[in-house]
Amino acid sequence: MEMVKVTIDGVQVEVPKGSTVLEAAKAANIDIPTLCYLKGINEIGACRMCLVEVKGARALQASCVYPVSDGMEVKTNTPAVREARRVNLELILSNHDRNCLTCVRNQNCELQELSQKLGVDSIRFEGESINYSVDDFSPSIVRDPNKCILCRRCVSVCRNVQGIGVIGANDRGFNTIVSPVFDMSLNEVPCINCGQCILACPVGALKEKDDTQKVWDALNNPELCVLVQTAPAVRVALGEEFGMEMGTIVKGKMVAALRRLGFDKVYDTDFAADLTIMEEGTELLDRIENGGKLPLITSCSPGWIKYCEHYYPEFLDNLSTCKSPHEMMGALLKSYFAEKNNMDPSKIFVVSIMPCTAKKFEAQRPELSAAGYPDVDVVLTTRELARMIKEAGIDFVRLPDEEFDPLFGDSTGAAVIFGATGGVMEAALRTVAEIVTGKSLENVEIADVRGIDGVKEAEIALGDITIRAAVAHGTANAKALLEKVKSGEKEYHFIEVMGCPGGCVNGGGQPIVSAKEHMDVDPRLARAAAIYQEDRNLPIRKSHENPSVKRIYDEFLGQPNSHKAHELLHTHYVPRKKY
Amino acid sequence: MATSVLANDSQKFAELQKVIAQYKEQEGALMPILHRAQEIYGYLPLDVQNYIAEELGIPLTDIYGVATFYSQFTLKPKGKYTIGICMGTACYVKGAQKVLDKLQEVLNIGVGDTTDDGKFTLDATRCLGACGLAPVMMINDQVYGRLSPDDIEGIISKYKDE
Ligand code: SF4
Ligand code: SF4
Ligand code: SF4
Ligand code: FES
Ligand code: FES
């Protein structure tokens, strides 16, 4: 790599050619303030918070987009720079709804942090402001334009990373607003509820629909049996909300915290992930053997499902009919669990703790109510669970490790890797390989489908058949892959799609990683590393070897894809219009 | 709602398709397409913008952002007669506000709106370059100068009956 020498505030550093001044400053241990910049996602130089003096340049320059050159001299802390940044910040603050105390991002807000860092103690411009109504019609995402600083990070992620673009910068001048078209609600436009925009937003202008009160109410209702389940990706991220390092596995503490919150049983969505593999693996082999619709495409990610319904309805028949794992779990809790415990399913309240905002929308789908009641009553994101734990005064970091409740808490390494892109594919192949060949797999790790390349491919020879598989994560990558399938350029048997880049570990309901942290760590990788560690930690690593899954089939469901399994565990999809 | 504007008038729709085909492969196609679409439909309703988005393979927000950024585009239908009352300095000083108030009263609409019968759209404009005649308004291409609020009813009624 070609390196260049730059001097920043008198400190000489060597950085790769093509770096920005911002990156070079970082190498010199200088932290330049930013707001609109989000590494790899939004590099548009719009907010001008990151201004610096470059020797020889006429005006102050936006360091987040200004490339370094050899011998460049930069000053980041001159009176002119400080004043310019300060004025910019005060202008932003002058028409910002500054109610930090009641804001979801209080103490986790890039604007607030900047204001503190730059020592803003008064605002010289008391501007007019428009009072916008809050858009809270979507079951997943809440938009509050009064807190929006027009940085466009959400616009970029939605348009470019997800390939969707249902929010944009509209109107002009003082009236500029980041919003859907024609003053519509996010609920009326083809938003897939992925929540990637929330992760990108530096402030409290985008947030999940908070459903914690519904859960508190249920926990307080003596008539209800309140059951909770947790998705694989939550256990590798929840700790971040309590100051723990990214990639810490907190499964045991999470279970302990849920018990202390008062849930009657603490179950693991991983159990249902193993079940999904049994159902979907069987579906795949059935389609291959009996000339069914191929490629089979996974259906665990509700963001992806809604994307497919809006944008690629021609692929709906390719989708696996399997419900997503937590919905399968809900259906079993309101049938099998209810029968076993002699309970009326109306008295069972199922809460899913998910890394995902799209699952809030999913839980409301009328077709997902196998026992006559919604399979899942409330979906909480990782962030909302953290909020409940804090409100309850539980000292999370010091909690002992506890175990999930038996049966629906039993799972395998194949299930936990559902949390990372490629995981469902890998888990499915572990099981399908053994069904087809009748032999035990020696190496269960399938490296080709791991990692964060946008589209990954693998060919697995299983006896007579070679399974051609592809994996995409983030809907823009899914789009690229589907176009190739559509044109006939590529042919596969099996495709895994996860709606969020990196898969569930980077889901829209996960802890928010600031732009600063993004310069150092990639949550898609750091959290996935913990997922794969957890896989290796577990004694059983193949879904079909989960004894509790076997038991459910023996006692209740019969065979995978049986009539009963279909009634409880499978679903269908509907084409949806765009506008 | 979707497709209704397009389906209502097959001739306009055919014209729109032609325009898109003409510019589609060119760079910077969006501005000319939006201009021509507005000429055809008189405004840029959702269906028209959405159709253009689909044809160009870009998100609707890209188009809507442009359509709302430039004041030459309008999202609402224009009336048969567009009344532009000048709010430039000279006209303002000579009492344009009073004339505007009267226009709003007589037409029973606000600035930027169109009457329910589709006849009149009311706009406030910048200097029309006829300051000597202040206060000035234009109805389509016709200029009216040295206006007083009392003139308004008479002028409007002429157009109403047409
Ligand atoms: S977005 Fe940030 S600065 Fe604004 S009110 Fe919320 S916490 Fe405070
Ligand atoms: S939830 Fe996803 S699709 Fe919806 S606006 Fe946000 S990024 Fe776009
Ligand atoms: S909603 Fe958030 S991310 Fe989007 S422009 Fe506003 S402040 Fe930026
Ligand atoms: S312009 Fe550099 S962070 Fe916004
Ligand atoms: S100010 Fe009205 S015409 Fe010039």
Side-chain angles (χ1 to χ4, degrees), chain A residues 159 164-172 179-184 578-579, chain B residues 2 44-46 49-50 54 59-62 64-65 68-71 75:
Chain A
R159 186 187 188 286
I164 292 173
V166 290
I167 35 179
N170 301 316
D171 221 308
R172 62 182 169 276
S179 65
V181 299
F182 285 93
D183 298 323
M184 288 186 199
K578 284 191 226 166
Y579 287 96
Chain B
L44 295 173
L46 171 63
Q49 291 190 38
N50 191 36
E54 294 279 332
L60 175 57
T61 44
D62 284 13
Y64 184 78
T68 54
F69 187 83
Y70 293 101
S71 55
L75 304 182

Side-chain angles (χ1 to χ4, degrees), chain A residues 372-387:
Chain A
Y373 302 92
D375 295 336
V376 169
D377 293 279
V378 171
V379 169
L380 295 184
T381 58
T382 309
R383 296 189 294 269
E384 288 165 280
L385 173 60
R387 244 170 261 157

Side-chain angles (χ1 to χ4, degrees), chain B residues 86-92 126-136:
Chain B
C86 176
M87 284 285 142
T89 315
C91 292
Y92 192 81
R126 294 183 201 169
C127 175
L128 294 170
C131 309
L133 297 176
V136 176

Side-chain angles (χ1 to χ4, degrees), chain A residues 98-134:
Chain A
R98 300 189 295 272
N99 287 305
C100 296
L101 285 182
T102 51
C103 181
V104 67
R105 294 293 292 271
N106 193 16
Q107 304 198 328
N108 180 21
C109 170
E110 293 182 29
L111 181 63
Q112 192 185 47
E113 195 192 323
L114 212 57
S115 175
Q116 192 191 35
K117 250 174 76 178
L118 298 200
V120 174
D121 51 9
S122 63
I123 294 161
R124 282 165 282 178
F125 326 97
E126 214 26 88
E128 246 185 287
S129 56
I130 305 175
N131 198 352
Y132 294 105
S133 55
V134 173

Side-chain angles (χ1 to χ4, degrees), chain A residues 392-563:
Chain A
I394 296 167
D395 184 352
F396 185 81
V397 177
R398 295 194 187 176
L399 283 175
D401 285 347
E402 291 184 11
E403 297 285 333
F404 284 110
D405 285 301
L407 190 65
F408 293 113
D410 302 336
S411 71
T412 71
V416 77
I417 60 175
F418 267 56
T421 167
V424 178
M425 177 64 70
E426 183 170 340
L429 292 175
R430 288 180 190 178
T431 286
V432 167
E434 295 200 1
I435 296 178
V436 173
T437 63
K439 277 188 279 192
S440 189
L441 268 186
E442 271 168 41
N443 182 11
V444 296
E445 299 187 3
I446 304 172
D448 285 351
V449 296
R450 296 188 177 190
I452 55 169
D453 288 344
V455 175
K456 297 168 278 185
E457 293 179 297
E459 286 201 1
I460 319 281
L462 303 175
D464 299 342
I465 46 171
T466 297
I467 297 202
R468 285 189 306 278
V471 173
H473 55 113
T475 41
N477 291 323
K479 181 196 237 170
L481 179 61
L482 291 184
E483 286 300 330
K484 286 189 179 157
V485 172
K486 230 164 110 170
S487 71
E489 186 187 333
K490 293 278 185 180
E491 260 184 68
Y492 303 103
H493 296 98
F494 194 23
I495 294 178
E496 175 206 287
V497 179
M498 294 190 189
C500 288
C504 309
V505 286
N506 189 39
Q510 291 284 63
I512 290 168
V513 179
S514 72
K516 282 262 122 66
E517 291 170 86
H518 264 290
M519 290 183 77
D520 290 325
V521 286
D522 187 335
R524 297 172 302 175
L525 291 171
R527 291 175 187 154
I531 287 271
Y532 290 117
Q533 180 57 49
E534 180 66 3
D535 170 29
R536 288 192 295 277
N537 289 347
L538 290 172
I540 307 177
R541 297 178 70 186
K542 300 168 199 159
S543 296
H544 56 283
E545 291 176 358
N546 181 336
S548 300
V549 166
K550 286 187 201 160
R551 187 174 141 197
I552 286 287
Y553 279 113
D554 289 346
E555 276 186 29
F556 189 61
L557 293 170
Q559 296 297 313
N561 290 4
S562 69
H563 181 69

Side-chain angles (χ1 to χ4, degrees), chain A residues 14-235:
Chain A
E14 257 191 71
V15 292
K17 197 179 168 196
S19 304
T20 61
V21 171
L22 179 69
E23 287 162 335
K26 195 157 193 313
N29 296 319
I30 290 160
D31 179 12
I32 297 175
T34 60
L35 261 183
C36 68
Y37 171 80
L38 186 57
K39 187 180 170 187
I41 292 175
N42 202 46
E43 301 174 350
I44 59 173
C47 73
R48 310 198 55 80
M49 274 316 305
C50 62
L51 292 175
V52 294
E53 257 180 53
V54 178
K55 195 172 173 187
R58 269 229 229 108
L60 298 180
Q61 298 296 330
S63 61
C64 69
V65 288
Y66 202 85
V68 291
S69 55
D70 202 37
M72 181 184 269
E73 283 178 44
V74 177
K75 287 191 176 146
T76 75
N77 186 25
T78 66
V81 163
R82 282 201 303 272
E83 178 61 13
R85 287 178 188 161
R86 184 68 188 253
V87 166
N88 274 340
L89 185 56
E90 285 183 41
L91 280 172
I92 292 170
L93 290 171
S94 72
N95 65 359
H96 181 76
D97 168 20
R98 300 189 295 272
N99 287 305
C100 296
L101 285 182
T102 51
C103 181
V104 67
R105 294 293 292 271
N106 193 16
Q107 304 198 328
N108 180 21
C109 170
E110 293 182 29
L111 181 63
Q112 192 185 47
E113 195 192 323
L114 212 57
S115 175
Q116 192 191 35
K117 250 174 76 178
L118 298 200
V120 174
D121 51 9
S122 63
I123 294 161
R124 282 165 282 178
F125 326 97
E126 214 26 88
E128 246 185 287
S129 56
I130 305 175
N131 198 352
Y132 294 105
S133 55
V134 173
D135 172 11
D136 61 357
F137 295 105
S138 156
S140 298
I141 319 277
V142 177
R143 270 181 61 240
D144 183 352
N146 302 300
K147 300 219 187 266
C148 176
I149 58 168
L150 304 176
C151 69
R152 292 159 171 77
R153 280 156 59 162
C154 59
V155 175
S156 294
V157 88
C158 184
R159 186 187 188 286
N160 305 331
V161 178
Q162 295 298 68
I164 292 173
V166 290
I167 35 179
N170 301 316
D171 221 308
R172 62 182 169 276
F174 181 67
N175 294 319
T176 307
I177 180 172
V178 168
S179 65
V181 299
F182 285 93
D183 298 323
M184 288 186 199
S185 160
L186 265 185
N187 209 28
E188 301 170 273
V189 299
C191 159
I192 65 165
N193 301 309
C194 66
Q196 287 300 312
C197 52
I198 298 178
L199 298 184
C201 184
V203 295
L206 288 164
K207 59 187 176 186
E208 67 286 327
K209 172 72 80 55
D210 187 305
D211 290 311
T212 53
Q213 191 55 46
K214 291 186 194 156
V215 178
W216 289 121
D217 290 347
L219 288 169
N220 265 320
N221 184 341
E223 301 236 303
L224 291 179
C225 170
V226 188
L227 309 175
V228 69
Q229 56 172 322
T230 62
V234 179
R235 70 204 62 187

